[in-house]
Amino acid sequence: MRTPDTDCFDVRLTAASMLSNDIRLFELQSVTGAPLPAFEAGASLAVHLAPGLVRQYSLLDDPATCQRYRLAVKREASSRGGSEAMHGLPVGQVLRVSRPANHFPLRPGEGRVLLLGGGIGITPLLSMAHALARQSRDFRLIYYCREARALDLFDDLVGAQWRSRVEKYASCQGVPTRTRLARLGESLAADTQVYACGPAGFIDEARACLQGRVGAQRFFEERFQVDPARTDDEAFALQLGRDGEALWVPGDKSIVQVLREAGVGIETSCEMGLCGTCLMRVVEGEPLHRDSYLSEQERHDGHLIVTCVSRCGSGKLIIDRLE
Ligand code: FES
């Protein structure tokens, strides 16, 4: 069983700038002068913003040469505290972070690689592109955004040696992202590894258009901006263990929230379905997976559930702690 990394240390926010009116770029450096722990392409950093408020953000530089950590964080209108707190941090602030962990690694292989980023979802793909260029792998990075003014936001973070491999499209310019993804799916080589990162809707589209072409074993995803629950979600019955109290999960609350309100202690970290800290066992019922943590096989087996984001597809779920 995978376990969350719990090593923590302090870093200092040494610089920050706005890439747009809602995306802030952060530079973090060692407090002691000692080298920062190394990270892999696709890795993220858990930032401890307050008790119970830990958020994971992708590291976006070249993992091979990095002497600092850089993150880009979008302020979300529906922020549950994380992006709001990040945007309010003053330069000079010391922050507690966890050792970088990789929930979205590049897989070995010789074939082509396609990196698909929806909005701020481009961030882990930037470190992946650096690594792929170093490995001389054949790759493309395609960035999709809504507005034309967002097209150039990340240009300064692109490596000069792989700039020609980057394509950028804004859906407001006439061709919807869904259409572009469908066209991409028609021409994609079947042995391509696809890495998609972005909001849930973007990932769902990318999966629908491309997975049939390359197979589930070559389609990898990381979902950003996952809301623990949406108001249009179905409510369902929940029980902790076969003899546990009967609980009710309304459409606007997550399993984690409902358990906590019932006095059940449950550890979380990212609360975005990325790290697996809140993983529980499914005793009965059908989980509706919304995370980016479980493998395709684990989803299919239906024995595990990421309780900060996932839901129930069968009206009632009985879950229990991992043994
Ligand atoms: S807390 Fe990270 S996946 Fe649930």
Side-chain angles (χ1 to χ4, degrees), residues 105-109 190-195 207 210-221 295-297:
L106 282 170
R107 272 67 173 184
D191 66 345
T192 307
Q193 281 185 354
V194 178
Y195 297 84
R207 187 178 272 281
L210 306 180
Q211 186 173 286
R213 188 83 176 183
V214 301
Q217 73 281 10
R218 276 188 284 273
F219 188 96
F220 309 102
E221 62 175 52
S295 67
E296 196 63 30
Q297 187 62 49

Side-chain angles (χ1 to χ4, degrees), residues 9-14 27-32 47-50 89-97:
F9 58 100
D10 290 336
V11 292
R12 189 180 305 282
L13 175 57
T14 47
E27 178 183 293
L28 305 170
Q29 296 208 15
S30 167
V31 169
T32 61
V47 182
H48 300 244
L49 290 158
L89 289 173
V91 171
Q93 174 97 25
V94 172
L95 290 167
R96 196 90 178 133
V97 298

Side-chain angles (χ1 to χ4, degrees), residues 27-307:
E27 178 183 293
L28 305 170
Q29 296 208 15
S30 167
V31 169
T32 61
L36 292 169
F39 64 94
E40 297 172 357
S44 56
L45 190 71
V47 182
H48 300 244
L49 290 158
L53 186 62
V54 183
R55 292 292 180 266
Q56 306 223 1
Y57 300 106
S58 298
L59 293 160
L60 45 77
D61 283 297
D62 183 349
T65 59
C66 195
Q67 305 296 313
R68 61 190 175 175
Y69 293 151
R70 285 197 301 172
L71 325 162
V73 179
K74 182 176 182 190
R75 184 192 278 128
E76 301 295 346
S78 58
S79 171
R80 289 168 290 128
S83 68
E84 202 59 52
M86 287 295 289
H87 275 248
L89 289 173
V91 171
Q93 174 97 25
V94 172
L95 290 167
R96 196 90 178 133
V97 298
S98 296
R99 185 175 282 270
N102 202 352
H103 312 299
F104 190 40
L106 282 170
R107 272 67 173 184
E110 301 291 321
R112 282 174 248 197
V113 175
L114 178 62
L115 306 173
L116 300 177
I120 189 76
I122 191 177
T123 48
L125 308 181
L126 293 168
S127 70
M128 287 179 165
H130 281 294
L132 290 166
R134 280 186 184 281
Q135 295 164 18
S136 303
R137 295 260 315 257
D138 184 359
F139 76 94
R140 288 162 78 189
L141 166 56
I142 310 183
Y143 165 64
Y144 300 89
C145 57
R146 210 168 291 152
E147 297 167 18
R149 65 181 177 187
L151 278 169
D152 302 332
L153 284 187
F154 299 97
D155 280 5
D156 289 346
L157 304 172
V158 167
Q161 70 281 27
W162 47 270
R163 192 170 294 276
S164 61
R165 294 174 180 270
V166 180
E167 297 162 44
K168 304 178 288 185
Y169 301 107
S171 56
C172 71
Q173 291 179 322
V175 183
T177 298
R178 172 182 303 195
T179 307
R180 289 196 189 277
L181 289 169
R183 286 181 192 159
L184 194 59
E186 287 162 14
S187 60
L188 203 58
D191 66 345
T192 307
Q193 281 185 354
V194 178
Y195 297 84
C197 183
F202 171 77
I203 300 289
D204 290 343
E205 284 296 341
R207 187 178 272 281
C209 295
L210 306 180
Q211 186 173 286
R213 188 83 176 183
V214 301
Q217 73 281 10
R218 276 188 284 273
F219 188 96
F220 309 102
E221 62 175 52
E222 184 168 74
R223 291 169 190 251
F224 268 30
Q225 303 169 348
V226 178
D227 293 327
R230 308 187 294 237
T231 48
D232 58 345
D233 272 328
E234 296 270 336
F236 59 95
L238 179 73
Q239 206 172 305
L240 184 62
R242 287 224 177 263
D243 303 322
E245 183 188 349
L247 301 168
W248 186 247
V249 184
D252 62 349
K253 286 189 179 165
S254 67
I255 293 174
V256 162
Q257 285 172 297
V258 169
L259 289 175
R260 282 191 177 140
E261 285 171 14
V264 179
I266 177 161
E267 203 183 327
T268 60
S269 176
C270 68
E271 299 203 8
M272 294 172 71
L274 301 177
C275 70
T277 306
C278 63
L279 198 63
M280 294 187 83
R281 189 163 60 86
V282 176
V283 178
E284 193 181 301
E286 187 190 319
L288 202 56
H289 298 293
R290 292 253 181 92
D291 62 282
S292 302
Y293 178 76
L294 294 177
S295 67
E296 196 63 30
Q297 187 62 49
E298 287 168 325
R299 285 163 188 269
H300 181 260
D301 293 346
H303 301 320
L304 295 169
I305 183 166
V306 174
T307 54

Side-chain angles (χ1 to χ4, degrees), residues 303-315:
H303 301 320
L304 295 169
I305 183 166
V306 174
T307 54
C308 63
V309 292
S310 294
R311 310 212 34 104
C312 171
S314 56

